[in-house]
């Protein structure tokens, strides 16, 4: 289930009792009721199809109390890749049937069993191997990796065809299945931390029972492992001191203080089968994944994400996934609200818009403790927004723990792009983006840039065009532009673009009045090449051709 708690979605009041029984079997799951139809749900939603799609895209397990067909039709447009899907189940409103629909690789059948046992019914499992053997090979059990996953399908087919199974090593994940050891079995299932070349008809499982600790020198780890014939897939995690900031592809645990590698692996594996130590790297092999203790904390993650203009449809799936996995959400109140709703286990830190550096440092402080933090910006986080502040805070810090945080910036659709798309294609040729705010730069710099950009005949987009504290700046900016550009050039004013209160105005540079503009507006001023013509619906198309002067 990827650690994400399921969403139980109901359409009518009559389903609430069943939903509560399911919730009792899935602690943490949130019941979402159709607004106006259901009272007493944990949360409400407005529209079934889009809500379902949003959960799906956020990788949230979905338990829908309605006909399977409705669920399938609602998600049909999204069902492209088999690998990336959350569990999706339909449950009869009276709780009499539990039908796993999608998410075979993300544990839908386990979820179906859990819900069905809570409801006292049998789950409608349809996967053939699962039915015969109560086992699956396609999805490695928690704590194990399969060395040759491409062989799992034919392995299962051969089992279904009646071939016997020879189990080599300790396979506790088969305990609850109907598969047992056959000393003459032609199919071999091997469980070992050691490297193996899988033979035909063999599946090799590597238990995550190896703990490596290093002082930061990851380069040597692969060679050391292979020197001991240990598979890289058996590594549960690499432990290092909190201050180390070197990372590779294995999960990391960061341990406070300055423990030696040997201390760390001893702490992680109380009763090792083997232990190796050369001072800089130590390796301990435990008997099973269950014998490995998690020491320290994971490497924190800090993502600065762009929410786009507002509507969830214009948000990148990567941003949605990040938001659903985050433990902490930080940002200006309006944007945090736009990014929600969040689950009760997610901590929301909404703040005033002005304290960007403070907010960035707060984000790093949390991430340095191993938390998963998301900082939200509207539009693109790198355009007059939080990404810069976050990276600047890092640049100013010499704390190795901050530098060890996994920092990612996920882009969004910026206001000028959203407004341009609504208007046509005014940014189709060279353009420049300017903030008219002199809070963070001297007004003379803005004037110089405006003058040069206007002279260069670039299409101009103005962000932060006016505010209560900056009433005259836009008027002055227009004076400068008008000195270099015909009053006939088209101007696009996009206000609250992509939000419910959106308005779009197309006017000309001569006719534009500063009163038409506020801080929720992005202003696009055309170049000498920008064109307009009427739209069939009564509006106006605006565009800047890609050719310049003579058509080539
Ligand atoms: N990071 C944001 C910009 C933040 S600066 C982005 O990439 O869009 C804030 C300015 O952006 C506002 O003063 C306004 O000029 C513009 N803006 C942001 N969202 C907008 C929207 N939905 N409609 C119109 N303008 C918007």
């Amino acid at each position: 289930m990827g650690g994400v708690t399921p969403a139980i979605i109901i359409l009518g009041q009559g389903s609430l009792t069943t939903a509560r029984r399911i919730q009792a079997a899935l602690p943490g799951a949130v019941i979402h009721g159709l607004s106006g139809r259901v009272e007493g749900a944990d949360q409400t939603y407005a529209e079934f199809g889009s809500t379902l799609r949003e959960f799906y895209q956020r990788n949230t397990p979905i338990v829908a109390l309605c006909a399977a067909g409705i669920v399938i039709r609602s998600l049909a447009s999204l069902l492209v890749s088999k690998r990336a899907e959350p569990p999706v189940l339909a449950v009869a409103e009276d709780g009499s049937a539990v039908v796993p629909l999608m998410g075979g690789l993300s544990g839908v059948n386990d979820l179906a069993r859990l819900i069905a046992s809570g409801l006292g019914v049998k789950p409608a499992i349809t996967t053939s191997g699962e039915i015969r053997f109560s086992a699956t090979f396609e999805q490695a059990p928690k704590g194990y990796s399969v060395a040759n996953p491409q062989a799992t399908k034919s392995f299962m087919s051969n089992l279904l065809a009646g071939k016997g199974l020879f189990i080599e090593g300790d396979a506790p994940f088969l305990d609850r299945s109907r598969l047992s050891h056959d000393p003459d079995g032609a199919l071999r299932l091997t469980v070992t931390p050691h490297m193996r070349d899988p033979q035909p008809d063999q599946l090799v499982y590597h238990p995550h029972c190896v703990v490596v600790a290093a002082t930061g020198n990851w380069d040597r780890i692969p060679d050391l492992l292979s020197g001991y014939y240990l598979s890289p897939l058996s590594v549960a995690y690499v432990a290092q001191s909190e201050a180390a900031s070197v990372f590779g592809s294995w999960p990391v645990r960061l341990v406070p203080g300055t423990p030696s590698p040997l201390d760390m692996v001893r702490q992680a594996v109380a009763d090792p089968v083997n232990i190796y130590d050369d001072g800089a790297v130590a390796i301990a092999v435990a008997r099973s994944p269950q014998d490995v203790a998690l020491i320290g904390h994971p490497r924190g993650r800090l993502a600065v994400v762009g929410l786009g203009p507002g509507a969830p449809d214009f948000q990148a799936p990567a941003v949605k996934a990040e938001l659903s996995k985050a433990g902490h959400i930080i940002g200006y109140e309006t944007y945090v609200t736009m990014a929600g709703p969040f689950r009760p286990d997610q901590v929301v830190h909404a703040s005033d818009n002005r304290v960007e550096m403070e907010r960035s440092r707060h984000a790093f402080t949390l991430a340095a403790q191993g938390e998963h933090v998301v900082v939200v910006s509207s539009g693109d986080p790198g355009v007059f927004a939080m990404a810069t502040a976050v990276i600047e805070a890092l640049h100013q810090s010499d704390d190795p723990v901050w530098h060890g945080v996994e920092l990612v910036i996920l882009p969004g659709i910026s206001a000028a792009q959203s407004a341009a798309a609504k208007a046509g294609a005014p940014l189709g040729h060279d353009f420049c983006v300017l903030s008219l705010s002199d809070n963070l730069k001297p007004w003379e710099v803005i004037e110089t840039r405006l003058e040069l950009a206007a002279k260069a005949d670039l299409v101009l987009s103005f962000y932060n065009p006016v505010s209560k504290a900056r009433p005259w700046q836009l008027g002055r900016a227009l004076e400068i532009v008008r000195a270099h550009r015909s009053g006939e050039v088209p101007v696009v004013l996009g206000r609250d673009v992509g939000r419910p209160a959106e308005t779009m105005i197309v006017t000309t540079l001569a006719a534009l009045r500063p009163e038409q503009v506020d801080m929720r507006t992005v202003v696009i001023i055309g170049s000498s090449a920008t064109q307009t013509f009427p739209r069939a619906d009564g509006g106006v198309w605006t565009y800047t051709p890609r050719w310049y002067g003579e058509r080539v």
Side-chain angles (χ1 to χ4, degrees), residues 193-252:
H194 294 286
M195 288 192 281
R196 286 291 160 83
D197 250 342
Q199 303 301 304
D201 281 347
Q202 184 183 22
L203 273 190
V204 176
Y205 279 71
H206 291 305
H208 304 163
C209 62
V210 175
V211 174
V212 181
T215 46
N217 38 355
W218 281 59
D219 297 356
R220 299 181 44 234
I221 300 173
D223 283 347
L224 281 169
L225 288 172
S226 75
Y228 298 119
Y229 300 104
L230 290 168
S231 164
L233 290 176
S234 296
V235 174
Y237 61 84
V238 178
Q240 48 185 25
S241 92
E242 223 177 27
S245 55
V246 192
F247 304 102
S249 52
W250 289 290
V252 179

Side-chain angles (χ1 to χ4, degrees), residues 315-378:
Q315 218 175 69
V319 169
K320 294 186 181 186
E322 196 74 37
L323 285 168
S324 93
K325 283 185 259 163
H328 296 263
I329 297 92
I330 296 183
Y332 178 44
E333 222 171 332
T334 316
Y335 304 145
V336 169
T337 309
M338 204 160 106
F342 295 103
R343 298 182 306 269
D345 61 302
Q346 297 180 293
V347 187
V348 172
H349 310 261
S351 62
D352 184 77
N353 204 10
R354 291 179 200 287
V355 287
E356 291 195 350
M357 284 313 277
E358 232 170 81
R359 222 186 287 155
S360 304
R361 285 192 280 264
H362 182 203
F364 269 111
T365 309
L366 287 168
Q369 293 158 15
E371 300 292 334
H372 182 172
V373 184
V374 171
V375 174
V376 297
S377 274
S378 79

Side-chain angles (χ1 to χ4, degrees), residues 238-313:
V238 178
Q240 48 185 25
S241 92
E242 223 177 27
S245 55
V246 192
F247 304 102
S249 52
W250 289 290
V252 179
R253 303 291 298 186
L254 298 172
V255 185
T258 51
S260 75
L262 184 61
D263 285 345
M264 289 191 266
V265 297
R266 283 227 166 102
Q267 205 192 324
V269 183
D271 179 24
V273 184
N274 271 310
I275 201 155
Y276 315 101
D277 174 38
D278 73 1
V281 180
I283 300 173
V285 183
R287 257 158 247 285
S288 75
Q290 292 72 38
D291 296 329
V292 171
L294 287 177
I295 59 169
H297 61 80
R299 186 183 177 197
R301 181 172 166 100
L302 172 49
V304 193
V305 307
L307 301 174
D313 280 358

